[in-house]
């Protein structure tokens, strides 16, 4: 295997992982056209189609899946070996500043903090939550964390965790008074709890089922930018609440809140860590990137 083969196999793995040429190209730090050409060259050399491409999606063929299943562990071992060799040049030190949306910070980043800092005692970590989309470079951050629709186009993006999901919940007494909604339109006219962003914007509630998308503007009896206050309002029966399911799992498990319209709330990709496209990230960020890869590979428990 020559250097170009290894490079192209890494490119194939990136596309299969992201199911998206743009995000894979950002990770590989090349243009989308260059990435596409690499994969066409690889398919030509192997004499087999590895990817099914449409205007809306990309996914491995059966041959591609079989190849990735065999080479995936080897590619991971190579990446880890390179990272270990770099680490032996000196223990990562310095400050790592990350700007993240509150849900991503609380539900995905928070469990990583203690294990990461225990592994890297020379690194100081700062996580700042922010609803606004900022220029992380201008604001002095090493990286940002946002969901896919808010990713900057000129950044390298790395998946942080598994798919997420929204949940619509209400207190049992509210359901007794207003009934259990069977479709999103049933929420129209019912009391709701929602988020008002610092800009003053309030987003509509979006649902999807069997290819049908529905957007509604609920009758917001109570609004807040703080999810904890919203949750308490929902527990007190003030209205229906749409939020990340991680925020309400405990209350639902205790029977204090009830999930409704579950079949209208599909999974969506989890958050991404993004950072400027540069040849070599700072050592603290590079250490965190390695930690994230291992965290995901070992099922969110790298200890």
């Amino acid at each position: 295997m020559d250097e170009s083969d290894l490079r192209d196999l890494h490119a194939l793995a990136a596309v299969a992982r992201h199911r998206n040429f743009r995000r894979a190209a950002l990770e590989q730090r090349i243009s989308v056209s260059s990435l596409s050409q690499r994969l066409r060259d690889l398919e030509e050399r192997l004499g087999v189609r590895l990817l099914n491409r449409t205007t809306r999606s990309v996914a491995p063929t059966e041959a591609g899946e079989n190849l990735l299943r065999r080479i995936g562990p080897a590619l991971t071992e190579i990446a880890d070996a390179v990272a270990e060799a770099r680490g032996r040049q000196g223990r990562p030190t310095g400050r790592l500043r990350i700007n993240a949306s509150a849900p991503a910070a609380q539900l995905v980043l928070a469990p990583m903090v203690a294990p990461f800092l225990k592994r890297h005692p020379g690194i100081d970590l700062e996580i700042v939550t922010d609803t606004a989309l900022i220029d992380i470079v201008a604001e002095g951050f090493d990286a940002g964390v946002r969901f896919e629709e808010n990713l900057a186009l000129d950044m390298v993006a790395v998946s942080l965790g598994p798919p997420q999901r929204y949940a619509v919940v209400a207190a049992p007494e509210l359901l007794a008074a207003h009934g259990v909604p069977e479709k999103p339109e049933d929420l129209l006219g019912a009391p709701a709890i929602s988020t008002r962003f610092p800009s003053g914007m309030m987003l509509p509630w979006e649902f999807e089922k069997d290819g049908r998308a529905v957007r509604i503007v609920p009758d917001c009896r109570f609004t807040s930018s703080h999810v904890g206050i919203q949750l308490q309002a929902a527990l007190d029966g003030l209205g229906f609440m749409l939020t990340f399911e991680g925020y309400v799992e405990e209350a639902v498990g205790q029977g204090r809140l009830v999930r409704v319209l579950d079949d209208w709330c599909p999974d969506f990709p989890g958050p991404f860590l993004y950072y400027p496209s540069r040849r070599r990230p700072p050592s603290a960020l590079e250490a965190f990137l390695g930690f994230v890869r291992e965290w995901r590979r070992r099922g969110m428990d790298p200890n």
Side-chain angles (χ1 to χ4, degrees):
M1 177 184 294
D2 62 25
E3 183 178 350
S4 62
D5 286 328
L6 182 60
R7 177 197 63 193
D8 295 346
L9 290 173
H10 275 292
L12 174 65
V15 172
R17 184 165 55 254
H18 292 291
R19 302 298 175 103
N20 183 285
F21 269 98
R22 182 179 67 83
R23 292 199 300 270
L26 286 171
E27 178 184 307
Q28 297 292 299
R29 303 180 190 181
I30 59 176
S31 68
V32 173
S33 59
S34 295
L35 175 64
S36 182
Q37 186 61 53
R38 284 186 182 181
L39 295 176
R40 284 195 295 268
D41 291 344
L42 179 62
E43 289 175 327
E44 186 175 340
R45 291 199 302 274
L46 296 180
V48 63
R49 178 177 289 277
L50 300 173
L51 295 169
N52 287 321
R53 305 169 177 85
T54 71
T55 56
R56 298 176 62 87
S57 64
V58 58
T61 63
E62 182 178 0
E65 290 280 8
N66 290 336
L67 177 62
L68 288 165
R69 190 177 302 114
R70 296 288 301 275
I71 68 171
L75 293 177
T76 299
E77 288 295 328
I78 291 171
D80 289 347
V82 171
E84 182 179 349
R86 288 176 175 171
R88 285 178 176 172
Q89 295 178 2
R91 178 177 294 180
T93 60
R95 184 173 65 161
L96 175 60
R97 300 188 73 228
I98 299 176
N99 183 282
S101 65
Q106 294 165 2
L107 300 177
V108 180
L109 279 178
M112 300 182 184
V113 171
F116 173 69
L117 291 179
K118 288 178 182 177
R119 177 170 299 184
H120 298 287
I123 294 177
D124 296 326
L125 175 63
E126 178 183 358
I127 297 175
V128 175
T129 59
D130 201 331
T131 57
L133 298 178
I134 69 165
D135 183 335
I136 59 171
V137 176
E139 298 296 328
F141 290 95
D142 299 291
V145 177
R146 291 293 187 276
F147 289 90
E148 183 176 18
E149 65 272 15
N150 293 320
L151 290 177
L153 294 178
D154 58 346
M155 296 282 175
V156 179
V158 177
S159 176
L160 270 185
Q164 298 286 309
R165 196 177 180 211
Y166 284 121
V168 181
V169 296
E173 58 267 28
L174 184 75
L175 295 176
H178 291 273
V180 178
E182 297 182 357
K183 57 185 183 301
E185 293 87 346
D186 293 340
L187 293 174
L188 294 173
I193 299 162
S194 193
T195 301
R196 185 182 299 278
F197 294 93
S199 64
M201 180 183 297
M202 294 181 63
L203 298 178
W205 291 9
E206 299 183 353
F207 301 90
E208 184 179 341
K209 179 181 178 181
D210 298 331
R212 179 183 171 224
V214 176
R215 302 177 71 190
I216 68 167
V217 179
D219 181 11
C220 294
R221 186 180 180 191
F222 176 70
T223 63
S224 174
S225 61
H226 193 287
V227 69
I229 298 175
Q230 292 181 13
L231 179 58
Q232 185 60 55
L235 291 168
D236 291 339
L238 292 184
F240 289 89
M241 179 183 179
L242 173 69
T243 189
F244 287 83
E245 65 177 358
Y247 285 134
V248 296
E249 283 179 337
E250 182 177 350
V252 169
Q254 295 170 345
R256 301 169 67 198
L257 290 174
V258 178
R259 292 183 68 157
V260 298
L261 299 175
D262 256 10
D263 54 342
W264 283 91
C265 298
D267 292 346
F268 56 90
F272 289 82
L273 180 83
Y274 66 95
Y275 58 97
S277 178
R278 61 179 76 171
R279 188 167 185 83
R280 176 81 180 272
S283 64
L285 176 56
E286 193 168 37
F288 188 67
L289 292 170
F291 176 86
V292 167
R293 286 194 296 269
E294 186 175 350
W295 177 271
R296 296 209 61 192
R297 189 173 70 249
R298 298 191 180 183
M300 314 308 169
D301 183 8
N303 294 313

